[in-house]
Amino acid sequence: MKFGKYIDEQARPDWRDKYLDYGQLKQYIKEAVAQLESGSDEAAFSPRTTSLSVAKNANNSPESNFFNKLELEVKKISEFTEKLVKQLRAQTKALQAKVTNDKDHQQNNDLMQEAQRLGDEFLSLEKYVNLNYLGFHKILKKHDKLMPHAPCRQFYITHLHQQPWVQGNYSDVLVHLSNIYSDLRGDTSGVKNEDSAQGFVRSTTKYWVRTQDATSVKHHILQHLPVFQFKKDDTEDENGPDNQLINSVY
């Protein structure tokens, strides 16, 4: 299946215009290749050199259109991701307040469903990010394959890795959800044992989880068990991302 068709089939309907415009980027590559093969003046310019005395109007060339569109797509996806993450953080904070105020647990079912909805929304956002991330890799690979005289994949992948939606750690959303589920279940904290003679027998089972499935696994687990949190000092945000890298579950 062509990736353009794949991304259309996988796209969430209400977010459709927020996905990578793979088809248009692919069209710009085709036009740039055709221009190169035609031997037009624009195509004759070297991609590695320029001149201070020879005018070059590249603003409307297919390759310039490709790079301009590429940058607009990166910005679009970054802004949309940040917007949704802010909404999720605000909604989890509001839900935590509702859970705290519901001391008689009369709204437990409704609050549990709301927590589930927020978790599913976070998973949908991660799927959105992964689909677009894969799309950028594929379109850049296609560009370099069809236009080997002007490779750009390595540079743009490095540029992509610096984007907040790729580099960002949004695990604090999961930590907030874990605290909400824990309160709804009525979990109690264990008592710290200072006895140096304490001992226990540990039985360990390890599972290898693909990176794209890690958040889904965490979400399923935190609905039944709280996240085991390490707090480094009193000044650190207990729900912050720095101390919430959830790689182990005890």
Side-chain angles (χ1 to χ4, degrees), residues 85 88 117-127 170-171 173-174 177 215:
V85 169
L88 283 169
R117 185 192 69 78
L118 292 175
D120 290 342
E121 193 78 357
F122 187 74
L123 294 179
S124 292
L125 179 58
E126 182 171 78
K127 181 180 178 181
Y170 306 123
S171 60
V173 176
L174 288 180
L177 282 174
T215 301

Side-chain angles (χ1 to χ4, degrees), residues 169-221:
N169 182 2
Y170 306 123
S171 60
D172 59 294
V173 176
L174 288 180
V175 175
H176 276 294
L177 282 174
S178 174
N179 292 337
I180 289 169
Y181 277 114
S182 182
D183 288 345
L184 290 172
R185 287 191 304 265
D187 294 343
T188 56
S189 300
V191 178
K192 185 177 180 180
N193 190 342
E194 300 288 357
D195 184 2
S196 61
Q198 61 179 303
F200 61 91
V201 177
R202 174 182 296 181
S203 177
T204 303
T205 302
K206 292 185 177 181
Y207 299 91
W208 296 104
V209 180
R210 297 183 304 174
T211 301
Q212 62 266 37
D213 296 326
T215 301
S216 180
V217 171
K218 293 174 188 179
H219 181 232
H220 283 294
I221 291 174

Side-chain angles (χ1 to χ4, degrees), residues 82-95 118 169-173 176 241:
E82 284 298 317
K83 175 185 173 182
L84 288 189
V85 169
K86 286 181 180 179
Q87 290 177 355
L88 283 169
R89 283 172 171 156
Q91 289 169 354
T92 52
K93 184 177 180 180
L95 182 57
L118 292 175
N169 182 2
Y170 306 123
S171 60
D172 59 294
V173 176
H176 276 294

Side-chain angles (χ1 to χ4, degrees), residues 32-194:
V33 171
Q35 185 184 68
L36 185 67
E37 293 175 345
S38 70
S40 68
D41 292 339
E42 280 292 338
F45 277 95
S46 168
R48 300 177 186 275
T49 60
T50 188
S51 172
L52 296 179
S53 61
V54 179
K56 178 183 177 183
N57 181 19
N59 291 333
N60 296 319
S61 72
E63 191 164 12
S64 293
N65 289 338
F66 173 80
F67 288 118
N68 290 336
K69 179 68 172 175
L70 197 66
E71 199 60 30
L72 288 174
E73 293 298 290
V74 170
K75 182 180 178 181
K76 176 183 74 177
I77 293 166
S78 180
E79 290 178 348
F80 183 67
T81 303
E82 284 298 317
K83 175 185 173 182
L84 288 189
V85 169
K86 286 181 180 179
Q87 290 177 355
L88 283 169
R89 283 172 171 156
Q91 289 169 354
T92 52
K93 184 177 180 180
L95 182 57
Q96 180 69 73
K98 289 181 182 178
V99 172
T100 302
N101 293 330
D102 185 32
K103 302 184 183 302
D104 299 328
H105 304 289
Q106 295 179 354
Q107 304 178 52
N108 253 29
N109 289 336
D110 291 342
L111 295 173
M112 192 73 77
Q113 289 179 9
E114 177 64 9
Q116 178 69 50
R117 185 192 69 78
L118 292 175
D120 290 342
E121 193 78 357
F122 187 74
L123 294 179
S124 292
L125 179 58
E126 182 171 78
K127 181 180 178 181
Y128 163 84
V129 166
N130 277 324
L131 193 57
N132 286 297
Y133 185 69
L134 178 60
F136 278 111
H137 273 267
K138 285 188 171 295
I139 200 65
L140 290 168
K141 182 178 180 181
K142 181 177 288 292
H143 176 279
D144 284 10
K145 179 181 179 180
L146 297 177
M147 304 188 70
H149 68 287
C152 68
R153 182 173 180 269
Q154 184 175 357
F155 167 78
Y156 260 91
I157 292 301
T158 301
H159 174 56
L160 201 61
H161 286 172
Q162 301 304 314
Q163 301 304 309
W165 60 278
V166 175
Q167 194 179 55
N169 182 2
Y170 306 123
S171 60
D172 59 294
V173 176
L174 288 180
V175 175
H176 276 294
L177 282 174
S178 174
N179 292 337
I180 289 169
Y181 277 114
S182 182
D183 288 345
L184 290 172
R185 287 191 304 265
D187 294 343
T188 56
S189 300
V191 178
K192 185 177 180 180
N193 190 342
E194 300 288 357

